[in-house]
Amino acid sequence: MQEIYRPGELPPLGEVPPYMHAAMIRPERYGAPEQAIRIEATRVPAIGPGQVLVAVMAAGVNFNNVWAALGSPMDVIGARQKAGAQEDFHIGGSDGAGIVWAVGEGVTQVKVGDEIVIAPVVWDERAADIRMGADPMTSTSALAMGYESNYGSFAQFTVVDEYQCHPKPPQLTWEEAGCFLLTAATVYRQLRGWQPHVVEPGDPVLVWGGAGGLGSMAIQIVRQFGGIPIAVVSGPSKEEHCLRLGAKGVINRREFDHWGRIPSAEDEVEFARWTAGLRAFGRRIWDVLGERRSPRIVLEHPGEDTIPTSMYVCDNAGMVVTCGGTSGYSADVDLRFLWMRQKRLQGSHGANTAQFRAVTELAAQGRLDPCLSAVVPFDQTAAVHQLMYENRHPAGNLAVLVGATAPGLVGRPS
Ligand code: NAP
């Protein structure tokens, strides 16, 4: 048996070599992705009961591997070592598409040779809270794969739990299939998971970062359910992308400057300037809608820079639903808007199995464009994360080819 294969090469189906190439992060390299992420050889991970070894054909690029590279706000390697893990490295990558290469004891839902996409969250199906009926994504055992857990998809092989496997939408190329599930399912949960604030026909929905990974999926999913997406972007080059996906209109956030923490009301000049920016932004939403209506749902993720605006422009009794803090975590909330106007500020994270399956099926039916904007070879893994870190990446989702030899391939090479 050959000990290790080059990226783009695959062993015979079902044969597991002892070593693989992986895009690794080590604590001594923590920093910007171009410095932190390097391709190295390492052992193929062992498969436990209920687990599946996947030969990764393509992996999706997400912001969480930028956070992992930085070692901040969490030292993911140190945190796992404190919990008893031996590995002194991190293999990132939460999204991916590939071929089931080996299955562990007790696996019944997938078999060797199946083509699958990977749901990027793991939990312990035996956890007490799950057994008591909790949504597994709210379980204390839930972890983001390839961020909180090791052995993500930026490697020739990754190990996943059986329930993480969903059928690959057959018409999608490997890189399309591998790039969208994390962002699509996260926004699906944000938009459909928090009753009674689920998007309904005619609901205006404000989508921050409309051309980003989450935003590109959100615009389409809002439209699927009859809502009216209003996208925010940072430049005219991204507007066309949002309109093509179905945004009713696009707001350029660079035309405003009231971002970040709320200034002290004692500084009357600064507070008045800030309030004027907030109101002007709200009026721009009305301009897009052509009527004086406010968003029933605001899809948040920039965090510190935008939460005050989100809480202000959200409709009375509406919901701001957040899954991130790209610009910072210390967001100010003016509690008057929260209680007087009876708004809801809801946290949302990942998705459950039904939500992952729902977006996979939307993609299989051709009703959700994965919005793949760029695909790079495996040796460009660090460079593509660097672009994301600098917010210089193109609109949509990004993918890295791992086992696939070229873009455009849809099935297992013969
Ligand atoms: P992305 O593709 O980089 O898109 C994010 C967009 O946000 C950017 O395109 C940018 O658009 C906009 N943005 C950046 N800084 C901003 C600021 N200061 N103010 C307003 N908008 C800003 O990233 P993504 O994959 O969509 O992820 C976005 C965030 O969500 C990340 O922090 C990620 O970690 C988090 N996330 C969380 C989960 C979860 O389950 N909790 C899942 C996925 C992602 P413009 O520059 O055009 O405005």
Side-chain angles (χ1 to χ4, degrees), residues 148-169:
E148 291 163 295
S149 78
N150 207 341
Y151 295 106
S153 54
F154 292 119
Q156 288 174 294
F157 293 96
T158 186
V159 65
V160 301
D161 289 345
E162 180 181 20
Y163 57 81
Q164 290 179 261
C165 301
H166 295 269
K168 172 184 171 288

mmCIF file of all heavy atoms in Angstrom, residues 148-169:
data_model
loop_
_atom_site.group_PDB
_atom_site.id
_atom_site.type_symbol
_atom_site.label_atom_id
_atom_site.label_comp_id
_atom_site.label_asym_id
_atom_site.label_seq_id
_atom_site.Cartn_x
_atom_site.Cartn_y
_atom_site.Cartn_z
ATOM 1 N N GLU A 148 -13.832 24.164 16.568
ATOM 2 C CA GLU A 148 -13.691 23.642 17.934
ATOM 3 C C GLU A 148 -13.197 22.196 17.911
ATOM 4 O O GLU A 148 -12.558 21.747 18.847
ATOM 5 C CB GLU A 148 -15.018 23.749 18.673
ATOM 6 C CG GLU A 148 -15.414 25.188 18.961
ATOM 7 C CD GLU A 148 -16.872 25.298 19.308
ATOM 8 O OE1 GLU A 148 -17.730 25.018 18.445
ATOM 9 O OE2 GLU A 148 -17.168 25.679 20.446
ATOM 10 N N SER A 149 -13.551 21.470 16.840
ATOM 11 C CA SER A 149 -13.028 20.105 16.724
ATOM 12 C C SER A 149 -11.894 20.103 15.693
ATOM 13 O O SER A 149 -11.826 20.980 14.823
ATOM 14 C CB SER A 149 -14.127 19.133 16.302
ATOM 15 O OG SER A 149 -14.373 19.230 14.915
ATOM 16 N N ASN A 150 -11.027 19.103 15.797
ATOM 17 C CA ASN A 150 -9.882 19.003 14.890
ATOM 18 C C ASN A 150 -10.271 18.179 13.663
ATOM 19 O O ASN A 150 -11.395 17.719 13.548
ATOM 20 C CB ASN A 150 -8.726 18.339 15.635
ATOM 21 C CG ASN A 150 -7.376 18.761 15.080
ATOM 22 O OD1 ASN A 150 -7.274 19.260 13.960
ATOM 23 N ND2 ASN A 150 -6.342 18.569 15.857
ATOM 24 N N TYR A 151 -9.343 18.029 12.752
ATOM 25 C CA TYR A 151 -9.507 17.190 11.569
ATOM 26 C C TYR A 151 -10.645 17.674 10.677
ATOM 27 O O TYR A 151 -11.568 16.927 10.347
ATOM 28 C CB TYR A 151 -9.689 15.712 11.968
ATOM 29 C CG TYR A 151 -8.453 15.159 12.635
ATOM 30 C CD1 TYR A 151 -8.412 14.917 14.009
ATOM 31 C CD2 TYR A 151 -7.305 14.920 11.885
ATOM 32 C CE1 TYR A 151 -7.264 14.442 14.613
ATOM 33 C CE2 TYR A 151 -6.142 14.441 12.486
ATOM 34 C CZ TYR A 151 -6.131 14.213 13.853
ATOM 35 O OH TYR A 151 -4.986 13.748 14.451
ATOM 36 N N GLY A 152 -10.589 18.959 10.321
ATOM 37 C CA GLY A 152 -11.557 19.542 9.398
ATOM 38 C C GLY A 152 -11.274 19.127 7.961
ATOM 39 O O GLY A 152 -10.486 18.211 7.677
ATOM 40 N N SER A 153 -11.896 19.845 7.045
ATOM 41 C CA SER A 153 -11.944 19.402 5.650
ATOM 42 C C SER A 153 -10.758 19.874 4.788
ATOM 43 O O SER A 153 -10.691 19.493 3.618
ATOM 44 C CB SER A 153 -13.254 19.878 5.020
ATOM 45 O OG SER A 153 -13.385 21.261 5.185
ATOM 46 N N PHE A 154 -9.846 20.684 5.332
ATOM 47 C CA PHE A 154 -8.679 21.082 4.518
ATOM 48 C C PHE A 154 -7.599 20.002 4.619
ATOM 49 O O PHE A 154 -6.478 20.225 5.085
ATOM 50 C CB PHE A 154 -8.144 22.450 4.953
ATOM 51 C CG PHE A 154 -9.093 23.568 4.637
ATOM 52 C CD1 PHE A 154 -9.629 24.350 5.647
ATOM 53 C CD2 PHE A 154 -9.472 23.830 3.333
ATOM 54 C CE1 PHE A 154 -10.527 25.364 5.355
ATOM 55 C CE2 PHE A 154 -10.363 24.834 3.028
ATOM 56 C CZ PHE A 154 -10.900 25.598 4.043
ATOM 57 N N ALA A 155 -7.972 18.804 4.212
ATOM 58 C CA ALA A 155 -7.085 17.643 4.277
ATOM 59 C C ALA A 155 -7.617 16.609 3.294
ATOM 60 O O ALA A 155 -8.791 16.647 2.920
ATOM 61 C CB ALA A 155 -7.085 17.065 5.691
ATOM 62 N N GLN A 156 -6.755 15.681 2.921
ATOM 63 C CA GLN A 156 -7.209 14.658 1.965
ATOM 64 C C GLN A 156 -8.289 13.772 2.559
ATOM 65 O O GLN A 156 -9.141 13.270 1.832
ATOM 66 C CB GLN A 156 -6.007 13.825 1.503
ATOM 67 C CG GLN A 156 -5.097 14.627 0.583
ATOM 68 C CD GLN A 156 -3.845 13.873 0.230
ATOM 69 O OE1 GLN A 156 -3.011 13.609 1.108
ATOM 70 N NE2 GLN A 156 -3.692 13.504 -1.021
ATOM 71 N N PHE A 157 -8.237 13.573 3.891
ATOM 72 C CA PHE A 157 -9.289 12.798 4.559
ATOM 73 C C PHE A 157 -9.765 13.563 5.788
ATOM 74 O O PHE A 157 -8.973 14.233 6.459
ATOM 75 C CB PHE A 157 -8.765 11.426 5.003
ATOM 76 C CG PHE A 157 -8.433 10.521 3.853
ATOM 77 C CD1 PHE A 157 -7.132 10.432 3.372
ATOM 78 C CD2 PHE A 157 -9.420 9.771 3.232
ATOM 79 C CE1 PHE A 157 -6.822 9.618 2.295
ATOM 80 C CE2 PHE A 157 -9.125 8.955 2.151
ATOM 81 C CZ PHE A 157 -7.826 8.871 1.686
ATOM 82 N N THR A 158 -11.063 13.439 6.060
ATOM 83 C CA THR A 158 -11.593 13.996 7.300
ATOM 84 C C THR A 158 -12.511 12.968 7.927
ATOM 85 O O THR A 158 -13.077 12.118 7.216
ATOM 86 C CB THR A 158 -12.321 15.333 7.042
ATOM 87 O OG1 THR A 158 -12.705 15.903 8.297
ATOM 88 C CG2 THR A 158 -13.576 15.161 6.194
ATOM 89 N N VAL A 159 -12.625 13.028 9.246
ATOM 90 C CA VAL A 159 -13.501 12.074 9.927
ATOM 91 C C VAL A 159 -14.722 12.830 10.454
ATOM 92 O O VAL A 159 -14.584 13.918 11.025
ATOM 93 C CB VAL A 159 -12.730 11.303 11.039
ATOM 94 C CG1 VAL A 159 -12.285 12.216 12.158
ATOM 95 C CG2 VAL A 159 -13.540 10.150 11.564
ATOM 96 N N VAL A 160 -15.905 12.285 10.170
ATOM 97 C CA VAL A 160 -17.157 12.945 10.570
ATOM 98 C C VAL A 160 -18.072 11.910 11.220
ATOM 99 O O VAL A 160 -17.868 10.707 11.070
ATOM 100 C CB VAL A 160 -17.890 13.591 9.361
ATOM 101 C CG1 VAL A 160 -17.007 14.620 8.679
ATOM 102 C CG2 VAL A 160 -18.375 12.553 8.358
ATOM 103 N N ASP A 161 -19.091 12.401 11.940
ATOM 104 C CA ASP A 161 -20.116 11.493 12.453
ATOM 105 C C ASP A 161 -21.103 11.214 11.322
ATOM 106 O O ASP A 161 -21.321 12.053 10.435
ATOM 107 C CB ASP A 161 -20.836 12.121 13.653
ATOM 108 C CG ASP A 161 -19.940 12.176 14.901
ATOM 109 O OD1 ASP A 161 -18.902 11.491 14.920
ATOM 110 O OD2 ASP A 161 -20.286 12.917 15.839
ATOM 111 N N GLU A 162 -21.747 10.062 11.414
ATOM 112 C CA GLU A 162 -22.651 9.626 10.340
ATOM 113 C C GLU A 162 -23.735 10.667 10.027
ATOM 114 O O GLU A 162 -24.046 10.937 8.873
ATOM 115 C CB GLU A 162 -23.296 8.305 10.773
ATOM 116 C CG GLU A 162 -24.245 7.718 9.787
ATOM 117 C CD GLU A 162 -24.863 6.430 10.314
ATOM 118 O OE1 GLU A 162 -24.848 6.198 11.540
ATOM 119 O OE2 GLU A 162 -25.355 5.657 9.477
ATOM 120 N N TYR A 163 -24.311 11.283 11.102
ATOM 121 C CA TYR A 163 -25.416 12.228 10.887
ATOM 122 C C TYR A 163 -24.960 13.510 10.177
ATOM 123 O O TYR A 163 -25.779 14.308 9.753
ATOM 124 C CB TYR A 163 -26.107 12.588 12.224
ATOM 125 C CG TYR A 163 -25.156 13.174 13.245
ATOM 126 C CD1 TYR A 163 -24.792 14.516 13.206
ATOM 127 C CD2 TYR A 163 -24.593 12.373 14.233
ATOM 128 C CE1 TYR A 163 -23.886 15.041 14.111
ATOM 129 C CE2 TYR A 163 -23.697 12.889 15.153
ATOM 130 C CZ TYR A 163 -23.345 14.223 15.079
ATOM 131 O OH TYR A 163 -22.441 14.744 15.963
ATOM 132 N N GLN A 164 -23.638 13.702 10.063
ATOM 133 C CA GLN A 164 -23.145 14.887 9.345
ATOM 134 C C GLN A 164 -23.195 14.709 7.820
ATOM 135 O O GLN A 164 -22.954 15.670 7.095
ATOM 136 C CB GLN A 164 -21.695 15.186 9.741
ATOM 137 C CG GLN A 164 -21.508 15.703 11.150
ATOM 138 C CD GLN A 164 -20.037 15.929 11.427
ATOM 139 O OE1 GLN A 164 -19.377 15.096 12.043
ATOM 140 N NE2 GLN A 164 -19.491 17.027 10.944
ATOM 141 N N CYS A 165 -23.460 13.504 7.364
ATOM 142 C CA CYS A 165 -23.415 13.236 5.924
ATOM 143 C C CYS A 165 -24.783 13.475 5.284
ATOM 144 O O CYS A 165 -25.782 12.902 5.728
ATOM 145 C CB CYS A 165 -23.001 11.794 5.666
ATOM 146 S SG CYS A 165 -21.394 11.372 6.339
ATOM 147 N N HIS A 166 -24.815 14.301 4.260
ATOM 148 C CA HIS A 166 -26.039 14.534 3.479
ATOM 149 C C HIS A 166 -25.716 14.243 2.015
ATOM 150 O O HIS A 166 -24.579 14.469 1.579
ATOM 151 C CB HIS A 166 -26.513 15.989 3.641
ATOM 152 C CG HIS A 166 -26.925 16.306 5.051
ATOM 153 N ND1 HIS A 166 -28.203 16.164 5.522
ATOM 154 C CD2 HIS A 166 -26.187 16.716 6.115
ATOM 155 C CE1 HIS A 166 -28.258 16.479 6.794
ATOM 156 N NE2 HIS A 166 -27.049 16.822 7.186
ATOM 157 N N PRO A 167 -26.720 13.769 1.249
ATOM 158 C CA PRO A 167 -26.416 13.422 -0.148
ATOM 159 C C PRO A 167 -25.929 14.644 -0.927
ATOM 160 O O PRO A 167 -26.511 15.730 -0.824
ATOM 161 C CB PRO A 167 -27.770 12.953 -0.699
ATOM 162 C CG PRO A 167 -28.638 12.711 0.487
ATOM 163 C CD PRO A 167 -28.126 13.553 1.605
ATOM 164 N N LYS A 168 -24.868 14.482 -1.671
ATOM 165 C CA LYS A 168 -24.374 15.586 -2.502
ATOM 166 C C LYS A 168 -25.408 15.903 -3.584
ATOM 167 O O LYS A 168 -25.854 14.994 -4.290
ATOM 168 C CB LYS A 168 -23.056 15.180 -3.161
ATOM 169 C CG LYS A 168 -22.540 16.166 -4.193
ATOM 170 C CD LYS A 168 -21.284 15.616 -4.864
ATOM 171 C CE LYS A 168 -20.868 16.472 -6.047
ATOM 172 N NZ LYS A 168 -21.764 16.331 -7.213
ATOM 173 N N PRO A 169 -25.824 17.168 -3.721
ATOM 174 C CA PRO A 169 -26.710 17.506 -4.842
ATOM 175 C C PRO A 169 -26.028 17.085 -6.144
ATOM 176 O O PRO A 169 -24.918 17.538 -6.444
ATOM 177 C CB PRO A 169 -26.854 19.041 -4.722
ATOM 178 C CG PRO A 169 -26.618 19.321 -3.266
ATOM 179 C CD PRO A 169 -25.557 18.329 -2.856
#
